[in-house]
Amino acid sequence: MIKLTPPMGWNSWNTFGENISDKLIRETADCMVSQGLLETGYNYLVIDDCWALKERDSKDRLVPNPEKFPDGMKAVADYVHSKGLKFGMYSCAGNLTCAGYPGSYEHEFIDAETFAGWGVDFLKYDYCYHSPIIAGKYLYRRMGLALENCGRDILFSACSWGADETQEWIKETGASMWRSTGDIFDTWESVKSLTHTQEKLHPYNGVGCFNDMDMLIVGMYGKGNVGLAGCTDIQYRTHYSIWALLGSPLMIGCDIREMNDATKKILTNEDLIAVDQDPLCRQPVKLSGIWAGEDMVLYSRDLSNGDIAVGLFNLSGEKGVARFNLDELALPFSTGKTLEMKDLWTKETFRVTNSSFSKELEAYDCAVYRAKVVDQN
Ligand code: GLA
């Protein structure tokens, strides 16, 4: 499958872990439609780990746990499809999944066929318990080949957490997205550390194979499987803005059946989604800015209509000032051009009148702009 922009959807892991069921998936599918998430682009509904029985059947096939999914997976897939959504599932390149259920190692073709038979459109493929003697690239290539031959268009979502220099070989495997980070947790420290570890990996992101910074924690407030301390709405907004500006897949991880207004507002910011989904998928530029410490992180990304997305992210717990020169956006003042900025959260617009720009940011806050190149007068 060729995926031209970062995949978007919902995944069960962050909030529900092993507590998944037919009922949860159907209710979530209903909410993805009724809350307008499908309409804003979130079209994949993905069941993560813990859906299977611990043993394969007599024909060596994976079996959904009948207590969680009494009508089987095809029925769940049919329901999800009936809502206009696409259906995703999870397996692993090892003997076992990370939570200890059967993995697809040496069952790649039979499992790909099983998934195809159920109507699966997306496969997240993890890396726990993998063979110590077969390199990851072969394990992912096997499943990539099995998916290409299973008779159904299934998006391959690799999840080897950036281990074993995944970036060097992932495009050999047919994956449309690849986890470029370790697991996210619902804490500010986690968001901050994933943002910093992404820095070296931007050159690998692009059309057809996207760096996946992991599922969103927006709206979890410390509840659920990876919910620890939780974050504030300002922190969630900054987390979302970073993922969008850097062009990560946007997979919601909270319980959308209980989403509050603040969460919904963050997840359905169409201006931010347009930046994430910009068809050019250009590599983001890390701006040096006018130094304000390593936790004042500035990025720009050139967009397909000539606009420039600019994100100023204060990752620290102290108020600070983000500053950069327009030269860094390839727009020195000598060009006679400047920028007309639209703040993508407040929706205010204004024009930059100097060769540099600065903005004061509260602790953990951000400002994200869509900037249009205009004449200086
Ligand atoms: C790994 C992955 C997570 C999740 C769990 C499931 O930790 O990185 O995203 O899929 O496994 O067990």
Side-chain angles (χ1 to χ4, degrees):
M1 163 181 286
I2 299 178
K3 195 76 185 72
L4 299 177
T5 55
M8 293 173 66
W10 177 90
N11 175 300
S12 59
W13 182 253
N14 279 2
T15 294
F16 298 98
E18 63 179 359
N19 301 314
I20 47 177
S21 66
D22 178 293
K23 181 167 175 286
L24 168 74
I25 299 306
R26 286 175 197 250
E27 288 176 6
T28 300
D30 293 347
C31 276
M32 285 178 79
V33 177
S34 64
Q35 296 284 348
L37 295 172
L38 172 60
E39 210 183 342
T40 36
Y42 299 93
N43 61 346
Y44 285 98
L45 190 166
V46 182
I47 300 181
D48 208 282
D49 204 349
C50 309
W51 57 267
L53 283 181
K54 295 246 163 134
E55 302 293 334
R56 291 174 176 266
D57 70 9
S58 57
K59 294 193 174 136
D60 229 10
R61 286 178 306 217
L62 293 166
V63 188
N65 182 333
E67 281 174 21
K68 296 177 180 176
F69 299 98
D71 300 328
M73 276 303 169
K74 172 99 175 44
V76 179
D78 287 348
Y79 188 80
V80 169
H81 289 148
S82 77
K83 294 278 159 180
L85 294 158
K86 292 176 190 256
F87 180 55
M89 289 194 69
Y90 165 100
S91 189
C92 184
N95 277 322
L96 297 173
T97 70
C98 297
Y101 295 84
S104 292
Y105 177 60
E106 294 194 330
H107 293 81
E108 290 85 357
F109 278 81
I110 187 174
D111 289 355
E113 277 164 30
T114 302
F115 292 131
W118 289 338
V120 168
D121 308 297
F122 177 114
L123 180 69
K124 175 173 169 183
Y125 204 52
D126 222 326
Y127 200 42
C128 285
Y129 302 105
H130 64 87
S131 161
I133 51 169
I134 305 178
K137 65 179 185 176
Y138 294 108
L139 300 174
Y140 279 86
R141 276 174 56 200
R142 284 185 194 179
M143 186 47 101
L145 191 61
L147 291 174
E148 288 302 334
N149 284 282
C150 74
R152 195 174 164 90
D153 213 2
I154 300 184
L155 189 157
F156 189 22
S157 167
C159 180
S160 56
W161 330 298
D164 301 332
E165 308 295 327
T166 309
Q167 69 276 10
E168 303 292 344
W169 46 264
I170 196 62
K171 288 182 185 164
E172 298 172 6
T173 70
S176 298
M177 55 192 265
W178 64 286
R179 269 280 292 287
S180 50
T181 62
D183 285 18
I184 197 166
F185 292 92
D186 186 14
T187 65
W188 181 249
E189 283 311 311
S190 176
V191 168
K192 190 166 140 176
S193 114
L194 299 190
T195 303
H196 283 311
T197 56
Q198 229 6 235
E199 258 174 47
K200 306 184 293 298
L201 298 173
H202 298 311
Y204 300 92
N205 198 12
V207 174
C209 192
F210 298 96
N211 288 19
D212 173 11
M213 293 175 68
D214 206 354
M215 286 97 61
L216 301 165
I217 52 165
V218 178
M220 288 185 62
Y221 301 107
K223 287 190 292 224
N225 190 40
V226 306
L228 297 173
C231 295
T232 64
D233 285 331
I234 288 185
Q235 292 171 334
Y236 286 139
R237 192 174 69 164
T238 299
H239 153 51
Y240 190 80
S241 302
I242 296 169
W243 266 231
L245 193 91
L246 299 183
S248 174
L250 298 174
M251 304 299 288
I252 298 170
C254 68
D255 183 352
I256 57 170
R257 300 168 308 171
E258 294 183 357
M259 191 166 54
N260 67 17
D261 287 347
T263 298
K264 186 170 170 183
K265 203 168 157 210
I266 294 171
L267 295 175
T268 57
N269 182 324
E270 296 194 35
D271 287 327
L272 257 295
I273 292 173
V275 170
D276 181 71
Q277 297 288 304
D278 186 77
L280 207 49
C281 302
R282 278 275 277 268
Q283 183 178 328
V285 181
K286 179 145 196 291
L287 307 178
S288 324
I290 298 167
W291 201 74
E294 64 177 18
D295 285 337
M296 185 63 82
V297 174
L298 281 53
Y299 274 102
S300 71
R301 180 146 68 90
D302 289 2
L303 303 176
S304 56
N305 70 341
D307 290 355
I308 307 171
V310 182
L312 315 176
F313 307 109
N314 183 7
L315 304 186
S316 89
E318 310 281 327
K319 187 191 273 201
V321 179
R323 281 196 194 87
F324 63 90
N325 286 322
L326 265 57
D327 298 34
E328 268 211 88
L329 301 183
L331 201 70
F333 227 53
S334 56
T335 55
K337 304 284 181 187
T338 187
L339 294 174
E340 188 146 288
M341 313 270 270
K342 176 181 179 191
D343 183 318
L344 301 186
W345 287 110
T346 66
K347 312 298 180 191
E348 286 159 354
T349 57
F350 59 91
R351 186 174 275 246
V352 178
T353 50
N354 267 312
S355 56
S356 69
F357 178 74
S358 65
K359 168 85 181 165
E360 189 174 74
L361 292 172
E362 295 296 328
Y364 312 115
D365 207 356
C366 70
V368 190
Y369 304 99
R370 187 172 184 121
K372 191 163 279 312
V373 178
V374 294
D375 293 334
Q376 279 169 10
N377 40 44

